[in-house]
Amino acid sequence: MQLKHLKTLLTPQEGAAKVTCMTWAPNNGKFAVCTVDRVVLLYDEQGEKRDKFSTKPADSKYGKKSYVVKAMAFSPDSTKIAIAQTDNIIYVYKIGEEWGEKKVICNKFVQTSALTCLLWPAEHAIVFGLAEGKVRLANTKTNKSSTVYGTDSFVVSLTSNVSGKGMLSGHADGTVVRYFFDDEGSGESQGKLLTHPCPPYALAWGTNSIIVAGCDKKIVAYGREGHIQQTFDYSRDRSEKEFTVAATSPSGQSVVIGSYDRLRVFNWGPRKGAWDEASPKEIPNLYTITALAWKKDGSRLCAGTLCGGVEQFDCCLRRSIYKNKFEMTYVGLSQVIVKNLSTGMRVVLKSHYGYEIDEVKIMGKDRYLVAHTSDTLLLGDLASNKLSEVAWQGSGGNEKFFFENETVCMIFNAGELTLVEYGSNDILGSVRTEFMNPHLISVRLNERKQRGVEGSKKLAYLIDIKTIAIVDLAGGYNLGTINHDSKIDWLELNETGRKLLFRDKKLRLHLYDIESSVKTTVLSFCSYVQWVPGSDVVVSQNRGNLCVWYNIDSPERATMFPLRGDVVDLERSNGKTEVIVTEGVNTVSYTLDEGLIEFGTAIDDGDYYRATAFLETLEMSSETEAMWKTLSKLSLEARQLHIAERCFAALGDVSKARFLNQTNKIADQVSKEYGGDGTEFYQVKARLAMLDKNYKLAEMYYMEQNAIDEVMEMYQELHMWDDCIAVAESKGHPELDNLRRSYYQWLMETNQDEKAGEVKEGEEDFTGAVNLYLKAGLPAKAARLAMSREELVTNSDVINRIAAALIKGEFYERAGDLFEKIRNNQRALDCYRKGNAFRKAVELARVAFPADVVKLEEAWGDYLVQQKQLDAAINHYIEAGCSSKAIEAAIGARQWKKAVHILELQEDRSGGKYYLKIAQYYASIQEYEVAEPLFVKGDHIKDAIDMYTVAGRWEQAHKLAAKCMTPEDVSTLYISRAQDLEGEGKYKEAERLFATVEEPDLAITMYKKNKMFDDVIRLVAKHHPDLLSETHLHLAKELETESRFSEAEYHYMEGKEWKGAVNMYRVNDMWEEAYRVAKSHGGASAHKQVAYLWAKSLGGEAAVKLLNKFGLLETAIDFAADNCAFDFAFELARLSTKNKIPEIHLKNAMMLEDEGKFAEAESEFIKAGKPKEAVLMYVHNQDWVGAQRVAEANDPDSVSDVLVGQAKFCFEQKDFQKAEAFLLRAQRPELAIKYYKDAEMWSDAMRICKEYLPNKLSILQEEYEKEATKKGSRGVEGMVEQAKEWEQSGEYARAVECYLKVKDSTNGPLMEKCWMKAAELAIKFLTQERAVDVIHSVGPRLTQLRKYSAAAELYLNLDLIKEAIDAFIEGEEWNKAKRVAKELDPRFEDYVDQRYKEHLKNQGKADSLVGVDVMAALDMYAERGQWEKCIETASKQNYKILHKYVALSATHLIKEGHAEKALSLYAQHGAPANPQNFNIYKRMFLDLLSLLGRDSAESFRMWADLRDVMLLLCENLTKSSEANSPAHEEFEQMLLISHYYATRSAANGVDLVSVAAKLSISLLRHTELIPADKAFYEAGMAARALGWENMAFIFLNRFLDLSDGIEEGNLDTLDHSDFQDTDIPFEVPFPAKLHVTDAQREEIRDWVLTVSMDQRVEQVLPKDERDTYEASLLAANTGIRSLPCVITGYPVLRNKIEFKGPGKAANKDDWNKFIMATKTTHSPECQDVLKFVSQWCGGLPASGFSFH
């Protein structure tokens, strides 16, 4: 995210005028700023100041300046603003929704200490912090405040999380406390979260992290549980000041922290999981940022400053324009502001989960938003500003979105339909469907409010093309599935989701009622259908009618209008509904009855008065009547009784209308007297219950009011006497007896004897009750009563009357019960028998007549059989011992197992007949294993075999037969059975039987006899495959004789004899069939032959027509001619294609010619218009006279052919003269030439060619030459001869060509001679241009023959100077080439020189090249490695060239490891200060330092040379542009080191051991150049030799550490403590290898170990008077750097000798020691050192030294 300054809202003042706080309204419409003078300024969204108001103190007596506003916040609805003041109070001002509304204080909360900060995260809840450390909550609803939590430390900051459900407070002691109103399932802890090192004034809570900053100039990011994630430390940044304030973006993805003149921006990187710092926004002279406020849509950030300024910044990651209609502003990774450029309307699209939004698209007529994140999908409706975010796993962008429905987005993806309701963050529903057409999906979400229904969310869709599913999306369950018999092509729910209309492919329209699951077909041939918006009215079209259902609950009642066009649309607006119809080119609108539509809508909306008012306006019709009924029902349910009364009056239901009228009067009276709703009065409720026939409910309402009389009155009025008496009894009513009397009297009057009897029974007048029951014809009821009363049982008169009545009414069982009761068992048994009550009869008989039980059981069984209750009868027959009847009953009842069981229990054989029946049953249900033993037991083995045979179980049948019969009998049985089956036409079964007894031939015969040829073939293929083809052909012939041609054809084909089929059809004159067979089976030409034969059989016109039909006319004519049927061919050609007649004559002629009938053939050829063919016939037969005759008579053009033929014959006879004469007569000289050529008579050929065809002479010449070339030397000689001939005859051009063509590699002189001759002739006789071409051709040939001079002379003859020079050069005749160039064309002199140089280079003749091109020669020396020669030659050139090659040579030597040789080069030739040579010098220096064993006196010369070279280089540098550069300083240091090494070598040579040792120690301060291990080794050894054990021990110990580090490849572990406060460097280059042998190292290791064990050495470097290590130039305490001694390198302190050269000095003792040694030893090395010192230091001191 970047900050871009937009504008200054409030101009800063000159001095301090701090902006104390500011805040944005949640609706983004207002921005409030509080200034230092306690005035709140209000700005609009564009940053224009619109309003302001002053705050007030808690107590006016303290004055207006007694407080400061510390914080403020808008309410969540943006209509109020809370102000926190330091005078211990919060005021809440109502500022209203519009600008300029009056500001009113609506709440105030007085506190115990000053307020420091404030938030308003939720409705009615303000959170604030106090100076005393408490965090409290103020409720604007109750006007009370309470403590959330308390601490002991001043609250310096408060912030909330992105959702506003959690907050953080920062305290002066660095503590940060977290508190959640709702942790939203995060599980994060509450309470003290972390302690920051300083007061957290800048506190921000991002999506994934908490950022804290303060006065320590550090910004720290903490994790969710307070552990440090990241630290941004600016404490070393001088320009940074303390951090004062922080703000989090609404998405929580960015944080801005303010300090002095600067805003620092941090963005959360979700992929890294860390904060990234963007470039800070720096504004000079802004001064300290005191307040920050971020607009709630994330697009703007405002910053307030110490000087009272307010600056507005634009915050966005990027901005883009979409389709030139919308502006997309990405204010964070997860937040985008979409602005409509035309309307200015804005929508903030934000991922609630903080996911990064990839791309925003606007779809569906620019109304709907779609955006993806990694895990979610964002959708929005720009018109209603409803946004949704749902979990969505990416599918590669393959989703398809449909926006046809304004409330829900339909998303198709991989066969799944997902519905998302705009404004909801959950997926509304998801179903599997393959049908994406919006016409096949219908969604209805709360589109019309219904009475008593809260949320209606329904979906109808296709499971498959014939099945509709209806789902309740709110409940998530299936409301129904409609299985239809035809494909569905349209469906739609009504707006309330209670009805579904759908149409199928047969154009039938169906209505489905979801509640009752009833499907009704409402219309056929439906071409258009639609629900009228805002109603349940349906409009559709079938053919020429417009159909309207104003009341869809009565689908049979449709209103029809005739139409002349097609319905295209439906429009409803301005209280008018119109159907738009196209009639041809015109568009007509039909207006629907808005009133009827209005009625349905009013009913749905529950506005019954509106519905009634509307119905009043209508004439009564069937539709209107249906509406009145609907309204009456609904108004009764809704207790709108006046409307119900009106409805029943309209419907003519007078009784209900009258009843309701009375009810309404009661209700109105009650309402008038007592007020309230009269319908709640008990009488009204009871009457309505009566109207609903719910009398018990009415009774309950009356009884609740103790209105007993009214209940009784109601029941009496309804003649419900029982209920009335029951009420009277329950309440002990005094009129009870009268009621009963009245009731009995009424019953008697109305002849209700039964009811009267019940009353008498109730009064215990049993005799009277019996009499009444008998009177009513109810003897059974009388018998029940008599049997229950003992006194009636003993009354024989009553009993007899009842019994007589029962028997009369045939109630035998009841009569039996009565007789049994009075112990008359015989009559009871008789009655039971008559009444078929056998159970009671058997029970009575068991007690009274045991002998009759068996008979009764059998009779019972018979009765049950009669009643078709066979199952029940079985057991009774068994009880009666009637086995046969039991078995029959079991069989009848299909209780087969029981039947078998009973059979098996029988001892006699009488049951055999049943076995067959049972076995047949089991056979029928294919339980053959059960049936078989039953057949066998019943002696029906043949039936068992038949059973198996019929079932096709031949093996079992055979097995059974084999078991019971002989093989012959089996075979006989099977064959006879098979023949029976054959007789019955059951051939398959018969075949199986034949197969079982292995008689397939019988089966074949059977099939053949029955003409079932397919089966014959099948069996032959199976049993006699070798006879199959023969059988096919036999059958084909048989079928042919029977004229069954198509079948015969099949068999011919199967027998691979198609010709037989064709012949069959031909013989029977069925040419079409013959043709078809031949075409499909007979190869490419067979059908043509058949067509031909067919045509031949027809002849004449018919034949022509037929052949034309097949497109074979010409083919047939050709075929006839080819087959010598010339008469037929002529007939066809004459009738159809006369142009074919000559062709037939021609073919006839050819046939006659083949037969040797030449005269007839001649006649036919002439008829065919082909006399030439006749001529050729005679020529072929060498009848020249005949040929001549015919040619002259019929084809003069052929005369020449005859002559040619004669000529050819003569040539073959070697009669050349005659042949030539014939050909010239025939005017064919070219043939004469050809024949001569073929006979290799070239001279004759050339003669004729020259005479008759001179234009072809050159071609012939070329042919001849080629031929000659092929023949080698013999041919070459011929060519030379020919050339000479041309030359003699003056044909010079041809002679030249001929000479040039002479090529004989074996004879060089001949070729040279011929080519020279060609050149000579060309120069003499041909044009200049041609001569040049010839010379250009001859020259290279001569050079190939190494005749360079000859070639050059030729070139010079024609002034071809360059070519002549090139020829001399090629022959390496350089002097001739130069002379030619010089004399004839001086321009070519340079060219010759250049070529000469190249030649020398290529030949490697460097010595010769020097004289021509020195640089090239030098490069050649360098390439060959001849460096001495190269340097020697270069030294003769200028200084620059010399040093170029010296540098190249030195580089080569260094690479080869010869640094000393490179040194001697520079010692010899000097060291120029060329920057490009610096690396060589450095590399040479470092390589020399790395050499081993060079610290002795013998190595002095090398070190002295190095020192001198370095001195020379430094002097050169001083004079160059590189003076005093780092490189110069480095080389000065190298000079010093090389001087020390040279001096050390000289000192070692004169036994100045102490000087040499000091030099070795001094060199340690240069270990950044000298290999460290080598330096410490040499210093340590020198110190050890002098007995300086402390130093020796430390240096050698250091050497061992270094050598170990070099081996390990790492010097990080070195301990530098011994060298603290010295000028010996700690950081040294890593040596590539050890500079000491392993033996030396081990010897050192032993010595160091020994010394450390003795503990005689103190591990401290010796110090001097400066209290500093004696060899260190830098004093440890003062930092003063001493000069190094030019002799020892030790620091020069008091006793010193100074030189003229600046910075050069020596210790007097060391100097004198060195002078003395030099004088005594006369050492040339020491003298050289002093000489160098004199030169380097500007001369020696006064007590100087003279060099010898």
Side-chain angles (χ1 to χ4, degrees), residues 1432-1646:
E1432 184 191 332
T1433 309
S1435 63
K1436 294 170 186 169
Q1437 308 306 315
N1438 64 32
Y1439 184 75
K1440 196 172 179 184
I1441 290 171
L1442 169 64
H1443 274 285
K1444 174 186 170 186
Y1445 289 98
V1446 167
L1448 287 171
S1449 177
T1451 305
H1452 173 72
L1453 289 166
I1454 290 166
K1455 275 185 189 163
E1456 297 291 318
H1458 302 306
E1460 287 181 74
K1461 289 183 182 175
L1463 174 63
S1464 63
L1465 261 180
Y1466 281 114
Q1468 184 183 346
H1469 298 290
N1474 295 338
Q1476 57 267 40
N1477 285 15
F1478 288 175
N1479 277 342
I1480 299 172
Y1481 299 147
K1482 284 178 194 170
R1483 176 71 188 275
M1484 176 180 76
F1485 178 80
L1486 294 172
D1487 284 4
L1488 291 169
L1489 291 192
S1490 295
L1491 294 172
L1492 303 179
R1494 300 303 170 103
D1495 55 346
S1496 61
E1498 291 76 35
S1499 301
F1500 174 79
R1501 192 65 257 152
M1502 184 189 89
W1503 295 118
D1505 284 352
L1506 180 60
R1507 176 197 68 197
D1508 294 344
V1509 167
M1510 285 298 160
L1511 178 64
L1512 181 60
L1513 174 60
C1514 290
E1515 285 172 354
N1516 288 339
L1517 278 166
T1518 309
K1519 297 167 193 165
S1520 76
S1521 60
E1522 293 286 332
N1524 301 323
S1525 66
H1528 186 176
E1529 288 170 17
E1530 195 175 359
F1531 286 124
E1532 288 285 2
Q1533 193 181 356
M1534 290 181 190
L1535 168 60
L1536 182 62
I1537 292 166
S1538 47
H1539 163 58
Y1540 285 162
Y1541 269 109
T1543 307
R1544 188 176 73 177
S1545 281
N1548 278 335
V1550 293
D1551 287 334
L1552 284 173
V1553 186
S1554 64
V1555 170
K1558 282 183 174 179
L1559 281 162
S1560 292
I1561 291 163
S1562 296
L1563 283 166
L1564 291 177
R1565 73 173 76 97
H1566 298 293
T1567 44
E1568 69 271 18
L1569 290 171
I1570 304 168
D1573 60 328
K1574 180 174 178 246
F1576 277 102
Y1577 173 74
E1578 288 172 352
M1581 293 304 283
R1584 189 172 104 176
L1586 282 168
W1588 299 346
E1589 289 202 336
N1590 283 7
M1591 280 203 276
F1593 178 75
I1594 287 169
F1595 295 155
L1596 292 172
N1597 200 20
R1598 179 68 158 192
F1599 158 72
L1600 291 173
D1601 290 347
L1602 283 162
S1603 63
D1604 292 343
I1606 291 164
E1607 276 193 344
E1608 291 165 10
N1610 187 352
L1611 295 180
D1612 294 348
T1613 56
L1614 289 180
D1615 177 16
H1616 305 301
S1617 57
D1618 289 339
F1619 303 104
Q1620 293 290 349
D1621 299 330
T1622 73
D1623 54 3
I1624 296 170
F1626 296 165
E1627 300 293 331
V1628 296
F1630 188 82
K1633 64 180 193 310
L1634 271 171
H1635 293 76
V1636 177
T1637 63
D1638 286 348
Q1640 289 170 319
R1641 183 163 60 141
E1642 289 313 310
E1643 189 262 318
I1644 297 299
R1645 202 182 292 282
D1646 294 343

Side-chain angles (χ1 to χ4, degrees), residues 1263-1404:
E1263 277 184 60
Y1264 171 53
E1265 285 162 6
K1266 277 182 194 165
E1267 199 63 34
T1269 310
K1270 280 182 202 165
K1271 290 177 182 172
S1273 57
R1274 196 161 56 80
V1276 167
E1277 285 165 19
M1279 202 174 283
V1280 172
E1281 288 301 316
Q1282 182 66 49
K1284 284 178 180 171
E1285 278 182 32
W1286 291 126
E1287 188 184 341
Q1288 285 162 6
S1289 62
E1291 294 275 358
Y1292 297 116
R1294 283 184 180 154
V1296 166
E1297 289 295 321
C1298 217
Y1299 279 130
L1300 285 176
K1301 282 174 185 167
V1302 172
K1303 279 177 186 163
D1304 183 0
S1305 52
T1306 57
N1307 192 344
L1310 174 67
M1311 286 197 292
E1312 185 187 350
K1313 184 180 170 188
C1314 288
W1315 294 342
M1316 288 299 283
K1317 188 73 178 168
E1320 184 189 328
L1321 291 173
I1323 291 166
K1324 277 185 184 175
F1325 299 110
L1326 301 186
T1327 63
Q1328 173 74 9
E1329 195 178 327
R1330 180 75 186 109
V1332 168
D1333 288 345
V1334 171
I1335 299 305
H1336 272 307
S1337 172
V1338 170
R1341 295 188 192 186
L1342 291 172
T1343 53
Q1344 271 180 337
L1345 292 176
R1346 310 183 78 78
K1347 303 292 180 188
Y1348 304 112
S1349 296
E1353 281 172 29
L1354 280 179
Y1355 284 133
L1356 289 171
N1357 279 334
L1358 287 177
D1359 292 337
L1360 297 171
I1361 311 297
K1362 170 99 167 32
E1363 287 82 348
I1365 290 169
D1366 284 342
F1368 282 130
I1369 287 172
E1370 208 167 328
E1372 294 187 18
E1373 297 188 23
W1374 296 101
N1375 292 331
K1376 285 184 181 178
K1378 280 180 182 175
R1379 196 171 77 244
V1380 168
K1382 192 174 181 183
E1383 290 175 6
L1384 298 178
D1385 194 342
R1387 287 179 302 169
F1388 288 113
E1389 284 187 80
D1390 290 344
Y1391 170 69
V1392 174
D1393 288 343
Q1394 184 63 34
R1395 289 291 299 271
Y1396 184 46
K1397 283 179 198 172
E1398 283 171 15
H1399 168 71
L1400 290 175
K1401 267 190 199 172
N1402 294 339
Q1403 296 293 317

